[in-house]
Amino acid sequence: MNKVKKASLLATICLVLSIMIGIDKTSASGTDFVIQEDQFQYYNDGITVTDTTARNGFAGKMSNTSENWNISHIRSDFSDLQPGRSYDVFMRIKVDHTAANPTGNAFAFGVWDNTYRDYILPLKTVPSSQTQDMTWKEYRVGTFVPNLSVNQLVFFVAGTDNASQVSEIYVDEIILKPHESIVIEDSSFILHNSSVLTSSPLASDNSAAVLYNGPGSNWNIQAPIDGTKLRADETYDIHAIVQIDRADWNSSAGDIFGVVVYDSTTGTYPVPPKVYSTSSLETQDKFKFYIGIKINAAPLALDPTHVYHVSFYQVDNAAQFPSIKVDQVSIVESQINDNPEQLIKVKPYKISPGNQDDLNDSAGITYSLSGAQTISAKIVDSSGSPVKTLVNNVSQSGTAKISWDGKNNANAIVPNGMYTVVISNPSGELYKKNIQVITGVALNDPIAPAPLVARGTWFEGGEIPFQSTARISYLNNSFQDLKDANMNMVSIANWNGSTALYTDTLDRAAAYDIQVMAFPMAYATFSNPTLENDEIALYNQINDRIAPIKDHPALYAYVLKDEPMNLDIDHAHFLRNAKRMTESIDPYHQALIDYVTPEYTEFHYGIQQTQTLLTDPYGAAIGYPIGDFTHYMNHPYYANIDYKPYLDFLHILTKKDIQNRAPWWTVVQNYGHEPTGLRDPIPAETRAMTYLNIGHGSKGFLYFIYQTESLWEGMVDENYNRGPKFGTVQTLFNEIKTLEPTILSMTKIANVATTIGGGNTTSSAHPNADVTTHENLATGDKYLVVVNHNCLSSANVTIKIDRAKLGMDITEIRDSLTNASISYTTYPDRYEISSLAFAAGDGKILKLTKDTTQSVYVGQDSDLNMFGGATKNNADVSASDGKTAIKLVGAANGWDVQWSWDKSRLVPGATYDLYAVVKIKYADDLYFDANGKPAFSIPSGNAFSYGVYDATTNSYPFGTTTVQASAMENMLWHTIKIGTFVPSQTNNQYAYIWPADNPANVYAVYVDKLYFVKQ
């Protein structure tokens, strides 16, 4: 999905998701977590007593003769609770009245962080007047997220030293109840005039109330708030889930509906009448599914004794917006009393260093200092004994970051258990935080997927109906579309619902030979901060999510995250861990992440190393003419980013690791996002971008987007009728389906050709057709991918192929799609195709068939001699024999790669062309310019030199030639013609590759092979 939607759309989407996740029918309500008297800790006179009125026949008892916390429960492990879930804490208490009408306070309670030494839930005192003699009552302590931390927490009941009024205090249970919002379903609405309940398959319960617009402003839908569920000590936000009906998807504008919150008791408006329109932030974007809106601007104090109604009223704009549907109204606490902001943070809190699998093996510790001071940081065990000194009397200020690897001062991994990091200065302790050492989960290696060319689309899962009959019908129609468009893949975003929704989706996909990439409830899983803390909880949640679907034959892969847009190392590691866990639980299906922008893609992929690199490169921007793909996203921050260099940058990310077989797939732009940056490409531009992606190395193509949503128009319109974009994709996928074997066989190498013609006529960008070069490693045949940048009209393109760079003779050139023979002329220095006709924006893959009758003698890297630290026989999936020689460039280099050939393999007196196949790795792929904007590196200086030396005569058959680093495409093999000569049959001659002393620009030089071709 696209980046530019984020600013205006992300807030809405997050709101939609958070509401749907919180209250839809698939969300588990959870169960109460009950702590009974056998888990209490007693102090002073606190004891367990038999009490037949207690729920299990026993209770804790204490005298009210002090203010001590005489009944407590101490806990550090909350792993039995749902990760990230808020819990309401209640204590079931009764008291013994000494006086008939006691005065003063009866008791107090709270939750204390025993590590950090502060309240998690503040101390509350209950007046005696609010208790009944020897009558059990549940008292609410507050709401918090227990497993945000593993600090030692103390749940306590304290006396008030008021025995003359209340003599004894009894505690039956401490209860943690999953926190629930107040949800008003449409069946509880009060409906007036024309408003009725209607079946609505996209509503979570298949039902909604419909509000018809028209003259007047009648409050025709009213959601009554149950005051008994409100608390006087809280403030609230009010949300609603609505669906907006438009008369015309493209042109409907103006007022949509109105909302008011009315207090019938006082005749006042906690929220005055408010009209939502197409200019409102919450409703400016267009969705067919239900969206969440927040009704109040500021938190509301609602009185439990008052009668409130959330009312939706009509506006006189039925011509534009005939109706809206309201599914639910929810009343949500404005603030949950989570852990207070602390000036020390540990992430993750739970580490598992014992298995040393780079999965939560260490904890990052961050703390903030108000000013310069001398600091010590140490790890202590549960008894307070020192374990490890991290910082010893060092002057620091501001924010500091350190880490602990789970080892003690003797460099041995500590036993499992609870440890505490203590930050102190000479005056004493400043901050403390617990770190729990656990036994981690077991990880397995995944099974690499079989190669295929993905032909698919991005699909909005929010449009899949909840209701079964409607769901099956919708999926049948949608997957028939995909099949007819020659697709084999669909990537589903926002795949939220019941298990039946997931299995129905996969069943229907299988019926139409479509494979699915998705993850159930991905947003709820991978946006849960507590799962970053606890690898066992993360593993269990992933397992629970995918268990119902992981064996389904229609499942292709799991998409964990769409566009991670941060440089947060902790979050990047979290996604990496989630990927590894998913592929351990299910090794037969890869876990993918969709990457966007140069810096975020490089950062996250570098850490996560997904088995397929899935990216969003978009090039058609508002303000730039047809065919001009020069300003990525049309965003000033990316002013340095041109479309084609961006494609090359994405392609080399998988190639930087020479053993990495991961293919690169692209989400191809087939939509616009006006007015925020991207424009709808015309069909010829979609075609041109598709073939540009093929030419620059992409092996999979998912067009964005299938449905018409928000500000973009999809392959089908808002009524699911096929539009022009459907036909464009259908035709392209028919071609790609035919070209699949060719695309899979091609390995991109350095370009060997130039073009004349086929340039963009609407701007100076891309003055000629694009051309890239590829090789079939099995046959030695090579390919040119040529794309006409003129997207408005046809063009004739002349293609010149440099024979020295090609490094082989050819016998024919054919169009890989049609198998038509292409005429060409042979010159001493080039092959030339004259005036090849291209339709507007069209692309062609031209196969150059190798002349196998040539006399060739090859020296692979295993035949070479290494010096200066160079090594050979290094696995390289892109090398001709799967192996390469490597020289990591240092400050001083020499003739580090040499080939002394076998003279007997050469014909005496014959003339030979000598070639080397070489690539380099840039020292940096990306940098940030003086304005802080990303740009692609262009190395300066030299890359290497080459030549042939005659050691017998101490002479050179021809002199050393130097290659500039900027002339070498990053991580692509170049065929270098060293020279033409008659090798001696008597003298000791050898060829050499001499890396330049330029480590600031060139990280490494690789040599695949050297070879002779007899003239």
Side-chain angles (χ1 to χ4, degrees), residues 448-454 556 661 663 665 740 744:
L452 88 163
V453 173
Y556 179 78
R661 294 185 179 277
W665 291 359
E740 178 171 357
L744 286 176

Side-chain angles (χ1 to χ4, degrees), residues 33-48:
F33 185 79
V34 179
I35 301 162
Q36 295 182 321
E37 83 294 327
D38 58 346
Q39 295 177 287
F40 294 169
Q41 283 77 36
Y42 296 109
Y43 304 94
N44 302 315
D45 65 348
I47 59 171
T48 295

Side-chain angles (χ1 to χ4, degrees), residues 64 101-107 125-131 160 162 165-166:
N64 193 8
N101 296 297
T103 60
N105 294 322
F107 58 90
T125 302
V126 178
S128 301
S129 59
Q130 293 183 11
T131 66
T160 57
N162 192 20
Q165 304 295 308
V166 174

